[in-house]
């Protein structure tokens, strides 16, 4: 942020435009992603689901998804403090449950495949805390948000305009 020399009103960088309205041009893919997202969330704790989406979006630098999922989490009652701490969750584990920590570790392992695989200890801890059905849904949720992130960053979707749906 720079400051205008003629007054004290901040001058923000001009908002970029998206590269491509991919959902408009590939509506069947978009609809399939919505269905996949809906299927992936079944049986998962909604708080964990949003924390996973936020953490993967941080790792993938997807501003659009960060905007969306932090707003959704806040609208669902998540605390600002826990959302802020997500980028340093390993140092602030005391903000999260044991299951959430395992889900976050699994999210990082699946999202950042620098070693080419998910480490056994990360997988085994998640498998200890989640039954097979829950673990399958968690893996699906992590995989789905990573796909959404790739659409978002590739097409440069613009953050800041998302409005969460009212709580039901």
């Amino acid at each position: 942020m720079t400051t205008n020399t003629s007054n004290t009103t901040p001058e923000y960088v001009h908002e970029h435009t998206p590269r491509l309205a991919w959902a408009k041009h590939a509506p069947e893919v978009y609809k399939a992603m919505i269905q996949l997202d809906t299927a992936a969330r079944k049986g998962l704790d909604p708080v964990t689901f949003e924390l996973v989406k936020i953490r993967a979006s941080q790792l993938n630098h997807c501003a659009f998804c960060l905007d969306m999922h932090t707003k959704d989490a806040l609208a669902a009652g998540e605390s600002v403090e826990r959302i802020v701490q997500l980028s340093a969750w390993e140092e602030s584990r005391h903000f999260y449950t044991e299951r959430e920590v395992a889900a976050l570790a699994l999210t990082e392992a699946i999202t950042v495949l620098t070693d080419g695989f998910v480490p056994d200890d990360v997988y085994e801890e998640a498998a200890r805390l989640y039954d097979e059905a829950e673990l399958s849904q968690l893996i699906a949720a992590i995989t789905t948000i990573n796909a959404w992130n790739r659409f978002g960053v590739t097409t440069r979707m613009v953050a800041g305009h998302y409005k969460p749906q009212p709580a039901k």
Side-chain angles (χ1 to χ4, degrees):
M1 173 172 78
T2 62
T3 304
N4 184 329
T5 56
S6 63
N7 64 40
T8 59
T9 304
E11 292 180 25
Y12 294 98
V13 175
H14 184 353
E15 183 177 286
H16 69 273
T17 56
R19 288 179 174 155
L20 177 69
W22 77 270
K24 175 184 169 188
H25 298 291
E28 294 303 315
V29 175
Y30 180 75
K31 288 176 194 169
M33 285 296 299
I34 294 289
Q35 290 174 336
L36 181 60
D37 196 73
T38 300
R41 91 174 41 234
K42 288 187 179 170
L44 283 181
D45 170 59
V47 171
T48 301
F49 187 68
E50 290 303 329
L51 293 175
V52 161
K53 286 184 164 202
I54 295 166
R55 186 61 188 135
S57 299
Q58 289 173 334
L59 293 166
N60 289 321
H61 306 279
C62 186
F64 180 86
C65 292
L66 275 170
D67 179 53
M68 174 185 284
H69 298 300
T70 55
K71 288 175 180 174
D72 283 347
L74 289 167
E78 184 55 85
S79 73
V80 170
E81 190 172 46
R82 282 174 32 106
I83 292 170
V84 168
Q85 289 300 318
L86 270 175
S87 63
W89 69 269
E90 289 178 296
E91 292 181 49
S92 53
R93 291 172 181 251
H94 59 285
F95 285 91
Y96 308 100
T97 68
E98 189 177 25
R99 284 169 55 96
E100 289 168 343
V101 166
L104 293 169
L106 188 61
T107 299
E108 291 205 10
I110 291 171
T111 302
V112 184
L113 292 170
T114 54
D115 293 328
F117 59 91
V118 172
D120 289 340
D121 62 325
V122 171
Y123 182 86
E124 288 165 6
E125 179 64 2
R128 182 179 76 78
L129 296 168
Y130 291 89
D131 67 32
E132 288 183 349
E134 292 172 317
L135 184 57
S136 297
Q137 291 300 124
L138 181 58
I139 292 166
I142 296 165
T143 302
T144 303
I145 188 56
N146 273 281
W148 280 120
N149 290 165
R150 278 141 181 82
F151 283 117
V153 297
T154 302
T155 63
R156 295 185 67 207
M157 293 174 72
V158 180
H161 303 285
Y162 176 77
K163 303 283 187 249
Q165 298 296 317
K168 294 178 181 177

